[in-house]
């Protein structure tokens, strides 16, 4: 059975397939699910390279009791058979590598449904769809566009939204915008500030997001309308004091210059800018010599868009803690803005800033 769209009713136990990439940035979907998942209970990860480790310890040194196995057979010998297997990594061109075909087929033969966030629709691959049909399993290709009649044009109803809207934008892609968004919502709620996150990628939905859409599965004409609709729906149903919007890619990455849509179509009140001091070139574009502009340069662009940047969050990948703290101090002096290390320090400083804006 093939299902082209995610449904809120889809939830349960799951394993994550990472194809030997769990220890890399290409498995950021898996990393998000390991850190937090409200939709699925994660029983384990299938990754032959990192088998035998705890996924949380491998990710950030925190044991989360999510074992890594070398195969689906090893997993079900150690724990319950999961209801779902989630594709937890990104691949070049969004295509499922052929070496992972056996793992997908093995899961489907066991009646385990596949949830796929790659661009390639696995339900369109005949050998998978046939096995799924025979074994009462589903294939959910969640990156397929919505049916035309479910898409929205921008209408201007965003002006009715009274929530304080904060966008987590970045100087590049894969900087932790979604992770920081989740951390910020969690921290706001601890302070009894009603808040919700609007997701814009497949991982946000997989983690259990109620409001949002998948940005890069949406026809361009409807991006602004889908953004507005997601924010408005969140406001209409929840009336939160704060809405956090997960950004995509960056304002100037030539392979995905997203960001201005969030600022303009959602009339953002503020931005938290994510930056990686250890990264010189846009992700995957070093061979083209595409350097990431400096933080101050990006702040000037955001100012031209008419939105206030209230803080900067640093992705410290590739840096020692000493280097990260040096970068934090330098960027703070350069910009005059609060600079934080979200994974190491939490989001309390940003919460305090938002509290002041809410008064």
């Amino acid at each position: 059975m093939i299902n082209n769209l995610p449904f809120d009713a889809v939830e349960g136990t799951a394993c994550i397939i990472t194809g030997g990439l769990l220890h890399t940035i290409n498995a950021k979907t898996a990393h998000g699910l390991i850190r937090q998942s409200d939709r699925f209970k994660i029983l384990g990860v299938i990754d032959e390279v990192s088998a035998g480790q705890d996924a949380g310890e491998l990710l950030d040194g925190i044991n989360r009791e999510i074992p890594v196995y070398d195969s689906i057979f090893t997993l079900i010998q150690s724990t319950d058979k999961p209801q779902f297997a989630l594709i937890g990594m990104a691949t070049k061109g969004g295509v499922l590598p052929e070496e992972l075909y056996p793992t997908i087929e093995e899961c489907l033969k066991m009646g385990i449904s596949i949830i796929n966030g790659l661009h390639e629709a696995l339900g369109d691959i005949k050998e998978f769809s046939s096995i799924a049909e025979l074994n009462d399993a589903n294939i959910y290709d969640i990156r397929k566009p919505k049916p035309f009649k479910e898409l929205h044009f921008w209408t201007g109803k965003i002006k009715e939204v009274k929530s304080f809207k904060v966008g987590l934008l970045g100087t590049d892609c894969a900087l932790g915008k979604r992770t920081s968004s989740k951390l910020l919502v969690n921290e706001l709620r601890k302070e009894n500030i009603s808040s919700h996150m609007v997701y814009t990628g497949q991982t946000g939905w997989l983690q259990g997001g109620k409001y949002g859409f998948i940005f890069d599965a949406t026809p361009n004409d409807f991006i602004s309308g889908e953004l507005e609709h997601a924010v408005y729906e969140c406001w209409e149903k929840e009336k939160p004091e704060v809405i956090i919007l997960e950004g995509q890619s960056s304002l100037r990455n030539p392979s995905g210059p997203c960001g201005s849509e969030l600022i303009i179509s959602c009339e953002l009140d503020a931005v938290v800018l994510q930056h990686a001091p250890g990264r010189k070139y846009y992700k995957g574009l070093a061979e083209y010599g595409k350097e990431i502009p400096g933080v101050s340069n990006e702040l000037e662009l955001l100012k031209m868009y008419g939105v206030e940047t209230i803080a900067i969050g640093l992705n410290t990948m590739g840096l020692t803690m000493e280097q990260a703290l040096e970068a934090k101090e330098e960027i703070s002096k350069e910009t005059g803005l609060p600079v934080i290390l979200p994974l190491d320090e939490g989001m309390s400083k940003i919460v305090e800033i938002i509290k002041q804006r809410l008064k």
Side-chain angles (χ1 to χ4, degrees):
M1 291 184 287
I2 313 302
N3 288 277
N4 294 330
L5 292 170
F7 301 98
D8 287 338
V10 176
E11 60 183 10
T13 58
C15 65
I16 309 172
I17 298 170
T18 50
L21 298 173
L22 180 61
H23 64 293
T24 74
I25 195 173
N26 291 322
K28 64 176 187 175
T29 290
H31 299 165
L33 290 163
I34 290 163
R35 286 194 172 101
Q36 182 177 349
S37 178
D38 301 319
R39 188 180 300 280
F40 300 104
K41 176 178 172 56
I42 306 301
L43 301 182
V45 178
I46 301 172
D47 188 287
E48 64 278 12
V49 172
S50 302
Q53 302 184 62
D54 177 83
E57 288 186 350
L58 180 68
L59 177 60
D60 55 18
I62 301 173
N63 189 305
R64 292 183 172 84
E65 297 184 353
I66 300 177
V68 184
Y69 301 95
D70 61 2
S71 70
I72 186 62
F73 300 110
T74 308
L75 184 148
I76 63 173
Q77 287 173 0
S78 303
T79 187
D80 297 332
K81 184 179 79 171
Q83 296 167 273
F84 302 95
L86 318 176
I87 307 295
M89 75 293 181
T91 63
K92 188 172 183 178
V95 176
L96 181 75
E98 288 192 11
E99 56 265 29
L100 279 180
Y101 276 39
T103 299
I104 302 299
E105 291 172 355
E106 288 157 3
C107 288
L108 291 171
K109 286 175 182 177
M110 295 179 187
I112 300 171
S113 294
I114 301 293
I115 299 184
N116 168 44
L118 297 173
H119 284 291
E120 182 178 30
L122 302 192
D124 293 341
I125 299 174
K126 188 173 181 180
E127 51 260 57
F128 294 158
S129 60
S130 297
I131 295 170
E133 193 73 36
L134 287 171
N135 294 278
D136 198 29
N138 291 313
I139 299 174
Y140 296 90
D141 288 311
I142 64 174
R143 226 167 181 159
K144 280 193 171 182
K146 290 180 181 179
F148 171 74
K149 290 185 178 180
E150 293 182 17
L151 292 166
H152 299 83
F153 283 114
W154 192 86
T155 66
K157 62 185 178 183
I158 192 70
K159 296 184 182 297
E160 299 174 29
V161 177
K162 306 303 180 186
S163 303
F164 187 73
K165 303 182 295 298
V166 183
L168 270 288
L169 305 184
T171 56
D172 193 14
C173 57
L175 291 180
K177 295 182 285 291
R178 174 188 38 76
T179 297
S180 292
S181 296
K182 295 287 287 185
L183 291 173
L184 183 51
V185 168
N186 292 343
E187 194 71 30
L188 285 163
R189 289 176 177 175
K190 283 182 185 177
E191 294 293 316
N192 295 316
I193 299 170
S194 60
S195 54
H196 276 272
M197 170 183 150
V198 168
Y199 68 84
T200 54
Q202 71 275 11
T203 308
W205 178 83
L206 288 166
Q207 288 182 302
K210 291 175 66 178
Y211 305 101
F213 72 110
I214 299 176
F215 194 103
D216 58 8
T218 303
N220 190 59
D221 281 356
F222 297 97
I223 293 290
S224 58
E226 286 296 296
L227 279 166
E228 180 189 51
H229 174 73
V231 174
Y232 184 84
E233 184 181 33
C234 180
W235 158 255
E236 186 178 41
K237 293 183 178 178
E238 307 288 348
K239 296 295 189 294
E241 294 176 81
V242 180
I243 294 177
I244 305 298
L245 286 89
E246 173 200 7
Q248 290 294 322
S249 191
S250 76
L251 288 166
R252 286 188 275 189
N253 182 325
S255 68
C258 315
S260 58
E261 293 98 336
L262 277 80
I263 298 170
I264 297 170
S265 301
C266 297
E267 299 190 351
L268 290 185
D269 297 298
V271 163
V272 174
L273 182 66
Q274 295 278 114
H275 178 66
R279 191 183 298 179
K280 182 178 181 180
Y281 298 99
Y282 287 115
K283 183 177 180 292
L285 298 181
E287 62 184 290
Y288 302 103
K290 290 291 186 181
E291 294 190 20
I292 300 172
V295 175
S296 292
N297 191 283
E298 201 82 346
L299 292 176
E300 284 299 315
L301 180 58
L302 289 166
K303 187 176 180 181
M304 290 175 67
Y305 271 114
V307 65
E308 177 190 16
T309 303
I310 58 174
I312 297 167
L314 299 186
N315 179 310
T316 59
M317 183 174 288
L319 303 179
T320 65
M321 181 51 67
E322 183 180 0
Q323 290 171 326
L325 292 173
E326 287 177 3
K328 174 183 174 179
E329 185 176 354
E330 289 174 6
I331 293 171
S332 181
K333 285 181 179 178
E334 176 188 340
T335 64
L337 289 172
V339 180
I340 63 164
L341 311 181
L343 292 177
D344 300 294
E345 300 173 340
M347 308 297 278
S348 58
K349 284 186 179 179
I350 298 179
V351 170
E352 289 304 313
I353 295 169
I354 292 174
K355 279 183 177 179
Q356 293 300 315
R357 297 300 191 278
L358 292 175
K359 288 182 180 179

